[in-house]
Amino acid sequence: MKKRHLFLAQFILLFFPGYIVAQAVKIENRKEVSQYGITWTFDKPAKTGQFITGDWWVVGPVTILKITPAPGPVRPENFNISINRWNDTSLKLDTTMRNGSMIVLKAGTTHGYDSRSGSFRKNNSVSLPLLLTPNLSLISSESNTTLPVDNFCKNIMWENEKKCQNVMKAAAVLTCLQDAPPEGAFRPPYAGTEKPVFLAKDIKWDLLPKLAPVGEVPSWEEFERYFQRPWIDHLMSWEQQELVPNENGPNYGREHARLVSMASLMVMLDVPKARKEKLTIELIQRGIDLYGIAKVGGYWNEGGGHSSGRKWPILFASTMLNNPAISQIPETAVFHEDTQTYYGKGWFGQDVLWQMIMHHGKRDPYEEKSPDQWEKWDKTSESYRTCCNAVAWTGTALAARYLKAIKLWGHDAHFDYIDRWMREDDPYKSARGNYPRPAAETTTTDPFVTAMWKAYRKSAPAQEMSGKNMKWVWKGEKAAWVPNPK
């Protein structure tokens, strides 16, 4: 019988490479476990196993004696720190820590991984031996030894962005639980002390539409790799752009949203379930992680394009697992797509607008003013509007429509703004005068998303809007929601 099951598993993996065989690794006592080049060594054998995503769990409490590669200081070194176009950087020459590990109890603006990052704080790093108790997750890292390195998603990046100076190379998560999880369990969120267990058997596969592919569909294997590892996303600062592991996830919000947009539309294609299963599971896991970060203070409202792409994975996970609790996140968890879109009266007659909230200080709305009245930062805001936001959001807006999630999203201006951006005709052409419509509008950064929008936006299911129309405004040095009638 065992040989028959093994043959079946091998057959499935050979002919359906996207398929996941749940709990493929036996639950057994081990003295060490390894993933992505990182090894945790215990003082004695402990019960271990893997979640459906391949991440390790251990029944605790357990004492970790050793982490490889070893965390700690390095000898003085020389490496070049590049300065960005804003004439700043988040990096520094510091040898205090490489390959650091930390337990994330609260989302914040500091970390304990690599001291070359300006947001490093030594007290965030764990010390060994470490007693890891149930309901805690340990994130361990490996540092890059040279810079620059390949951008995580270099294949979809422009030539001048294919390299980056991220100081972390890889990261893996070890989750300590009170008991072994059921078969087919997702890894609980790596942030916080709440470790809810969600199961793959609860996925509502019938909710996914079966849309005929249009355009050039991205590589399934490439996208499965994009979402394979945990995206380390608990640093609420633009400084994560030069920190996060370049082998785990993207370092900029535009690419967070681009990858999520494409993946969300890919799993809605008319392909065999076995082809889309792995990517769907990985996308749900991304939502579970973001849900956990939101529960411990996470918010995504940093800069012109840094914070995009975090809301939809949470709602996707909630919808696909039929678990409303996942979408019930704190009010403190504001999202880029919502704070940047609102209803108003624009300079050429448009009634749904975009704003940049923060970039080297707080920023004010500008689309109400004619371009000949724009100041320096208004022009900068417009450059971010066209380079880094709707071009990345469009796929998730379409996916949300097909999962009938507009009401669940709860911010109608976001969807109306995407319709404004992608509208091919221009009813405001004459009102624009000497300022023609930007060439970036009507399209996205990714041809597959653009093709899917043009093919399927008009036939998207009709549904009730949320009626929740608010605007994110500055009140002194703090921002808050105010009513924003459509």
Side-chain angles (χ1 to χ4, degrees):
M1 184 63 71
K2 289 183 179 179
K3 289 184 178 180
R4 181 182 177 185
H5 288 168
L6 179 60
F7 172 79
L8 178 60
Q10 291 172 335
F11 175 86
I12 292 173
L13 289 173
L14 179 63
F15 291 98
F16 299 98
Y19 192 85
I20 290 181
V21 180
Q23 215 76 44
V25 175
K26 293 180 181 179
I27 298 175
E28 61 184 28
N29 290 329
R30 296 178 178 86
K31 195 169 181 181
E32 67 178 30
V33 293
S34 300
Q35 190 178 34
Y36 309 139
I38 295 164
T39 299
W40 299 281
T41 302
F42 314 131
D43 64 335
K44 58 185 179 182
K47 182 182 289 187
T48 62
Q50 288 175 284
F51 297 105
I52 194 170
T53 52
D55 302 302
W56 286 96
W57 55 261
V58 59
V59 171
V62 63
T63 298
I64 299 175
L65 293 181
K66 179 181 176 183
I67 302 174
T68 308
V74 294
R75 294 178 179 178
E77 58 188 357
N78 291 317
F79 70 95
N80 294 323
I81 298 176
S82 299
I83 304 299
N84 64 25
R85 69 188 183 95
W86 302 105
N87 197 35
D88 60 11
T89 178
S90 66
L91 301 184
K92 58 183 179 178
L93 295 174
D94 190 302
T95 61
T96 303
M97 177 63 70
R98 300 291 185 272
N99 311 321
S101 296
M102 68 179 293
I103 295 170
V104 180
L105 299 180
K106 187 173 178 61
T109 57
T110 63
H111 65 86
Y113 301 116
D114 191 304
S115 60
R116 288 173 292 185
S117 167
S119 48
F120 171 81
R121 299 294 182 272
K122 190 174 182 179
N123 62 357
N124 287 156
S125 302
V126 303
S127 299
L128 299 176
L130 171 69
L131 179 64
L132 190 64
T133 57
N135 298 322
L136 292 179
S137 298
L138 179 66
I139 304 175
S140 294
S141 72
E142 178 181 2
S143 295
N144 279 312
T145 56
T146 60
L147 297 175
V149 293
D150 285 341
N151 192 303
F152 170 71
C153 48
K154 66 178 183 179
N155 290 346
I156 66 168
M157 303 299 291
W158 299 266
E159 193 62 37
N160 65 341
E161 292 185 348
K162 288 185 181 294
K163 294 287 185 179
C164 61
Q165 55 180 4
N166 290 49
V167 295
M168 292 171 69
K169 177 183 180 182
V173 178
L174 176 64
T175 306
C176 187
L177 300 175
Q178 188 75 48
D179 301 293
E183 183 174 317
F186 285 91
R187 174 177 47 73
Y190 56 71
T193 58
E194 294 184 21
K195 303 299 174 188
V197 174
F198 305 104
L199 303 177
K201 70 178 182 63
D202 295 327
I203 296 175
K204 304 301 179 185
W205 293 101
D206 60 323
L207 293 180
L208 293 176
K210 295 182 178 180
L211 304 176
V214 294
E216 184 176 348
V217 180
S219 162
W220 288 93
E221 289 77 14
E222 187 172 352
F223 266 74
E224 288 165 358
R225 172 61 184 89
Y226 284 149
F227 288 89
Q228 176 187 18
R229 304 186 184 190
W231 294 6
I232 306 304
D233 203 16
H234 59 84
L235 188 68
M236 302 292 109
S237 168
W238 74 272
E239 293 188 358
Q240 74 160 266
Q241 189 172 13
E242 295 174 318
L243 171 74
V244 296
N246 73 298
E247 292 187 359
N248 277 61
N251 66 352
Y252 188 53
R254 179 190 58 204
E255 277 61 64
H256 279 249
R258 290 177 66 196
L259 294 180
V260 168
S261 280
M262 286 187 274
S264 297
L265 295 179
M266 289 169 70
V267 301
M268 295 184 181
L269 296 177
D270 187 10
V271 297
K273 177 187 171 184
R275 173 68 278 178
K276 66 176 71 175
E277 183 168 18
K278 184 175 183 180
L279 186 57
T280 303
I281 286 173
E282 291 173 339
L283 192 55
I284 291 172
Q285 179 66 66
R286 173 69 181 140
I288 291 171
D289 281 337
L290 286 165
Y291 157 74
I293 296 170
K295 294 276 284 185
V296 295
Y299 58 91
W300 292 276
N301 188 37
E302 173 74 31
H306 276 287
S307 301
S308 293
R310 273 67 171 207
K311 187 171 186 175
W312 174 241
I314 299 175
L315 304 185
F316 181 79
S318 176
T319 300
M320 293 300 295
L321 294 175
N322 192 28
N323 192 319
I326 298 175
S327 62
Q328 294 172 1
I329 52 182
E331 292 184 0
T332 52
V334 296
F335 297 92
H336 225 44
E337 294 88 336
D338 299 343
T339 61
Q340 290 189 333
T341 52
Y342 66 99
Y343 295 111
K345 196 65 176 177
W347 67 272
F348 58 78
Q350 75 274 37
D351 57 8
V352 58
L353 312 179
W354 186 91
Q355 63 177 338
M356 184 161 67
I357 298 297
M358 182 183 298
H359 200 306
H360 290 70
K362 62 181 184 178
R363 300 296 158 205
D364 297 318
Y366 72 99
E367 278 209 289
E368 290 88 344
K369 299 184 295 183
S370 173
D372 57 13
Q373 298 176 319
W374 286 352
E375 299 176 3
K376 175 184 176 182
W377 275 104
D378 297 329
K379 295 176 182 178
T380 301
S381 292
E382 176 68 0
S383 72
Y384 273 98
R385 184 183 80 85
T386 56
C387 81
C388 304
N389 291 276
V391 292
W393 298 347
T394 300
T396 55
L398 183 62
R401 286 186 178 277
Y402 272 87
L403 282 189
K404 300 181 180 179
I406 290 181
K407 189 173 183 180
L408 180 64
W409 187 292
H411 188 79
D412 298 344
H414 168 64
F415 294 93
D416 287 337
Y417 176 74
I418 296 298
D419 279 346
R420 168 195 154 185
W421 176 272
M422 293 298 291
R423 183 169 177 168
E424 294 190 52
D425 67 312
D426 185 9
Y428 308 107
K429 185 175 182 179
S430 61
R432 294 179 188 272
N434 295 326
Y435 301 95
R437 186 179 188 183
E441 292 189 7
T442 75
T443 189
T444 76
T445 310
D446 302 293
F448 169 65
V449 174
T450 302
M452 290 291 288
W453 177 274
K454 290 181 177 181
Y456 293 113
R457 168 61 185 95
K458 291 181 180 179
S459 57
Q463 58 200 283
E464 183 182 356
M465 301 295 277
S466 73
K468 297 178 181 178
N469 300 317
M470 306 292 283
K471 180 182 178 183
W472 190 248
V473 301
W474 286 105
K475 293 186 175 182
E477 294 303 312
K478 294 186 177 181
W481 292 110
V482 299
N484 180 227
K486 183 172 181 179

